[in-house]
Amino acid sequence: YWDPPPGVALLYDFYTMAAFRGRGLYAASLRQMVGDAVAIDAADAVHIAVVSDNIPSRTVIERVGFEYRESLFGRPSAEPHAR
């Protein structure tokens, strides 16, 4: 769990039903939410969270204008740690 600092809007957890994919709805929705976060909530910054291996979502997110900065956490390793 990550609690954004004051003035930061956090977007996460989106899904587009298969029948509606490929129509630009996700990109349009993201643009609307970013605009609303700034206009309504007076956000200074908007962050978006996505699973790093969700390439279709990351492609749209980056096309809308977001850029990758960092991962908040990694997936557990399948290999045991040396002691």
Side-chain angles (χ1 to χ4, degrees), residues 2 13-14 17 20 25-26 30 32 36 39 48 52 54 58 61-65 69 71 73 75 79-80:
W2 181 69
D13 201 19
F14 301 101
M17 293 174 56
F20 297 98
L25 298 174
Y26 184 35
L30 288 177
Q32 181 68 49
D36 288 349
I48 190 163
S52 62
N54 185 341
R58 284 188 60 181
I61 288 167
E62 291 172 8
R63 190 179 322 128
V64 166
R69 293 286 176 96
S71 293
F73 56 89
R75 291 184 184 222
E79 309 228 354

Side-chain angles (χ1 to χ4, degrees), residues 3-60:
D3 206 11
V8 174
L10 177 61
L11 307 177
Y12 63 95
D13 201 19
F14 301 101
Y15 179 80
T16 304
M17 293 174 56
F20 297 98
R21 293 179 189 159
R23 300 181 187 188
L25 298 174
Y26 184 35
S29 295
L30 288 177
R31 287 185 190 99
Q32 181 68 49
M33 287 184 278
V34 168
D36 288 349
V38 172
I40 297 169
D41 293 332
D44 297 317
V46 180
H47 293 216
I48 190 163
V50 62
V51 177
S52 62
D53 61 358
N54 185 341
I55 303 305
S57 186
R58 284 188 60 181
T59 300
V60 173

